[in-house]
Structure formats: C-alpha cells, structure tokens
Amino acid sequence: MKRKQRAWLTVPFLGLFLLAALCGCGQGETPVEQPKAPAQVSEPYEIQKDDAGGCMILQEGAVVGGGEWIPYPGAEEVDFAACLEPTAEEAAREPLGQVLATLFDQRLGEDAEAPDYSASVSNVADLEVTFATDQGSEAHYLAASGDAFYNIWFREGVLLPGTERELLDELLAEAQSEAEAVGSDSGAQ
C-alpha cells in the first residue's frame, strides 16, 4: 500500500515541478522592444488671407491647407445625412453631387476627373470629405453659412491633429463672423 501512496503523491509534485520549470524559462529573456513611430513635429504655420474671404495655410512656404467659399443657394437647408443614406434616391443625393463637383473643380481643376473620395457627416462641420490629389490626401470640412459652404482643408499627415483642430475651430469661427457681417450689411441696404 505504501507504494501506491508514493506514486499517487509523486505525480502531482512532478507536474508542479514541470510547470515551474516551463514558467521560469521565459523569465531570463530580454523583451523585444517594439519600434516606435517617429514623433510628428508640427512646424510653425502662417495663415494668409485673401480678399474673397479665403485663406492659405503655409508651413515652411508650402501650402498645407486653406479655406474658400463654395457658393450654393440654400446651403443651410442641405441635409447631408439624408444625402449619404444608402437608400436615398438620386434626387435626394443631388445636393451632395453638386457640392462635390464644385469642390473638386476648385481643388483639382475643371478638367480633372472626380477622384475616389469618402464623405461623412462630421461632428465638426456639416460635411467631411477626404480624397487624394497629386500632392497627397486632403481632408475637407464644409460648413454651411447662408448661401454658401466654407470649405476648410488640410493635407493629411502634415499638421498635428490638435493643430488642425485648433485651425479648424478658428477658421470656422472667422467664416461665421464674416458671413454674419455680410448678412447684416446686406440687410441694412
């Protein structure tokens, strides 16, 4: 009987010994460090405004963003969420198509083919559109004001996201103030 008891007690101890040995093998290894993404550094930028209410955002002399007006009668009435519904009929999508055609003409030239793009309703502006140009990808934010959309755009990956957001907020506020001033001037006439 003693022999059976020893064998019965030896198996659990042998299992514990093997488990401890296996667990301890990896403890002496040096962990492999994951390569870190290069830090993005946003250089100082400059905003140059034009007489038409638009602007260019420059960084080291290169244009990395800007803003311009897209005339569109009834811009504030456009419901981009309805335009982007997969089940929307062609007539419901027409405002989106017209605004995008004008946007592409402004950024790519009138003779250029419409690029592949993605469009979505944005929590920052009425519409967010991303597409590729020969200079790289651009992100566009369109905000309705009266009978026009103010289009603020950035070359993707050039400015830090926080810098883009600050510029976006600043330029949208300025565009809104400008539109209100124009509206109050035309109302006084």
Side-chain angles (χ1 to χ4, degrees):
M1 273 257 196
K2 283 189 176 189
R3 236 185 165 149
K4 282 185 180 180
Q5 286 179 344
R6 273 192 219 163
W8 183 78
L9 289 174
T10 307
V11 172
F13 287 120
L14 183 59
L16 285 173
F17 175 76
L18 284 174
L19 182 63
L22 289 175
C23 290
C25 288
Q27 288 182 354
E29 295 178 15
T30 306
V32 176
E33 291 211 19
Q34 297 295 325
K36 295 180 182 175
Q40 287 186 328
V41 177
S42 183
E43 298 291 324
Y45 59 86
E46 175 187 356
I47 299 175
Q48 290 182 352
K49 301 198 181 223
D50 63 29
D51 294 338
C55 69
M56 288 190 312
I57 302 168
L58 304 167
Q59 187 177 61
E60 295 182 1
V63 178
V64 297
E68 59 255 337
W69 288 98
I70 298 175
Y72 191 87
E76 289 186 342
E77 304 303 316
V78 175
D79 181 2
F80 285 119
C83 293
L84 292 168
E85 279 295 318
T87 57
E89 295 187 21
E90 192 62 34
R93 293 176 189 237
E94 188 175 325
L96 176 64
Q98 291 171 346
V99 170
L100 289 176
T102 304
L103 171 66
F104 297 149
D105 285 351
Q106 280 185 346
R107 294 297 308 139
L108 305 173
E110 291 182 17
D111 296 332
E113 290 186 32
D116 290 335
Y117 68 91
S118 67
S120 62
V121 176
S122 171
N123 63 350
V124 178
D126 296 310
L127 181 68
E128 184 174 337
V129 180
T130 304
F131 62 90
T133 71
D134 59 349
Q135 302 294 315
S137 292
E138 293 181 358
H140 292 254
Y141 302 89
L142 284 81
S145 183
D147 285 337
F149 291 99
Y150 195 65
N151 170 33
I152 300 170
W153 63 275
F154 301 99
R155 291 228 166 84
E156 289 193 320
V158 177
L159 298 171
L160 292 172
T163 303
E164 279 186 16
R165 182 59 192 254
E166 287 172 17
L167 279 166
L168 187 59
D169 291 342
E170 176 185 337
L171 294 173
L172 283 173
E174 287 178 16
Q176 187 64 35
S177 294
E178 181 181 312
E180 288 171 0
V182 170
S184 65
D185 288 345
S186 64
Q189 293 176 3

